[in-house]
Amino acid sequence: MAFAKNGSVCIHYERMAAGDGPPVILLAGAGRPSTDFDYGFCAPIVAEGFVPIRIDSRDTGRSTALIDTHPDLHAIKAAALGRGNTPPPYGIADMAADVLAVLDAEGIAAAHFVGRSIGGLVAQQIAIRNPGCVLGLALVMAMSRSMADAVPDAALDRLMAEDIPDEDAYVVRQLGVAQVNGVAGDFDAGRVAEEARTAWRHGIHRGGTARHFAASLAVPDLRPSLGAVRVPTLILHGRQDKVIPLERAIETAETIPGALIEVDETMGHDGPPRLRRLWGERIARHFAAVRTSI
């Protein structure tokens, strides 16, 4: 196992292929470990000669977890809307610094970045503050500002109250999430349960999703800075995404010069195997085109 240090935080990461091809950094969604980027997703990227490196964000997988920290999501949401000043336990900039620590540990000067949901916010933050580190961007389920104006209070209540004592309880939780966030035709209880058990055994931490959510609620509007980003960018989004509205992805694409957005009519806020495979294939072509144009 490989780890990088960012102050008191240890970040676990894993190379998904051997070789010295251009690295592709994989950043998962809120509360999710790096196992979401499975071999089905990575295979077409490896076939194009790239080396995927999947990272467990802090509070996921084998990275440092802040399990004794319990954010008040309502207060953080209010602060994001200009009412109060309650900060999150950590911000998107801190998570970006974690990723840069991995690059330093591996001696990587620049890489391609894939960010899913909150992972996309982290990737955008890196592109803004450390543009020389970024060769290409692929954002799946994209947003570029806080969802504080759109997230219902009931969702925050559920996150703050969430207590998942064991693997079986996490399976039940993920079955419910898949039914709400996904598309009915993709729902496969056996598949969802198997992936939930894989994630749990790799590392699901108490309150991790809430702390990630706190960071995303508090994120500043990145759009004023994204106009200066000159990185080939691909955005993949679903018209049926009930968590991040399509409009948020469109505005992100309109802000990054030259960004491409592709909308899947059959995609929600979920990543079943058929979509993971398609994402991997499309992202591999995108990064291959970037490599050709350099």
Side-chain angles (χ1 to χ4, degrees):
M1 293 189 291
F3 292 87
K5 286 275 289 183
N6 177 27
S8 62
V9 174
C10 283
I11 299 298
H12 172 260
Y13 62 94
E14 179 183 5
R15 283 179 171 260
M16 299 297 284
D20 58 359
V24 177
I25 304 299
L26 308 178
L27 305 172
R32 297 293 299 169
S34 60
T35 52
D36 276 2
F37 294 106
D38 62 1
Y39 289 98
F41 171 86
C42 291
I45 297 173
V46 174
E48 284 287 352
F50 297 99
V51 178
I53 301 175
R54 63 185 190 182
I55 294 178
D56 285 329
S57 299
R58 60 171 67 190
D59 266 324
T60 72
R62 293 164 183 159
S63 293
T64 297
L66 285 71
I67 57 174
D68 294 324
T69 303
H70 309 285
D72 183 339
L73 296 182
H74 293 290
I76 294 167
K77 172 183 173 178
L81 297 173
R83 303 190 300 269
N85 59 359
T86 301
Y90 49 81
I92 294 298
D94 298 306
M95 298 176 73
D98 294 342
V99 176
L100 294 175
V102 172
L103 267 61
D104 288 344
E106 287 292 299
I108 296 170
H112 298 279
F113 288 80
V114 178
R116 177 173 165 179
S117 194
I118 191 176
L121 286 175
V122 175
Q124 290 171 69
Q125 181 78 74
I126 294 170
I128 290 167
R129 294 195 176 182
N130 304 84
C133 292
V134 183
L135 300 173
L137 279 177
L139 309 175
V140 182
M141 306 169 189
M143 55 185 166
S144 52
R145 58 189 173 103
S146 172
M147 292 287 293
D149 62 330
V151 64
D153 287 342
L156 304 185
D157 289 334
R158 286 194 297 271
L159 280 173
M160 289 193 296
E162 193 168 66
D163 182 16
I164 306 168
D166 55 34
E167 181 177 311
D168 288 340
Y170 186 68
V171 169
V172 172
R173 189 252 196 204
Q174 289 305 101
L175 287 168
V177 168
Q179 287 180 312
V180 172
N181 291 348
V183 175
D186 285 325
F187 183 75
D188 178 336
R191 184 268 302 178
V192 173
E194 180 181 356
E195 292 175 358
R197 293 188 188 282
T198 296
W200 179 268
R201 292 166 189 175
H202 188 73
I204 297 295
H205 303 292
R206 186 174 70 249
T209 302
R211 289 186 290 277
H212 277 193
F213 214 84
S216 67
L217 285 173
V219 69
D221 191 340
L222 301 179
R223 291 175 297 168
S225 299
L226 287 174
V229 170
R230 296 294 187 272
V231 175
T233 301
L234 171 68
I235 296 174
L236 304 176
H237 208 86
R239 191 174 298 279
Q240 300 188 52
D241 194 322
K242 301 170 187 174
V243 177
I244 303 175
L246 177 58
E247 291 76 16
R248 296 294 173 106
I250 291 172
E251 69 182 21
T252 302
E254 291 174 343
T255 303
I256 302 174
L260 303 173
I261 182 168
E262 298 179 5
V263 180
D264 190 320
E265 301 292 331
T266 68
M267 172 179 159
H269 198 79
D270 189 24
R274 68 170 184 91
L275 285 177
R276 292 200 298 268
R277 183 181 66 254
L278 292 174
W279 296 342
E281 292 170 353
R282 182 64 186 93
I283 289 168
R285 294 198 303 272
H286 172 63
F287 290 154
V290 173
R291 181 175 55 190
T292 302
S293 66
I294 294 176

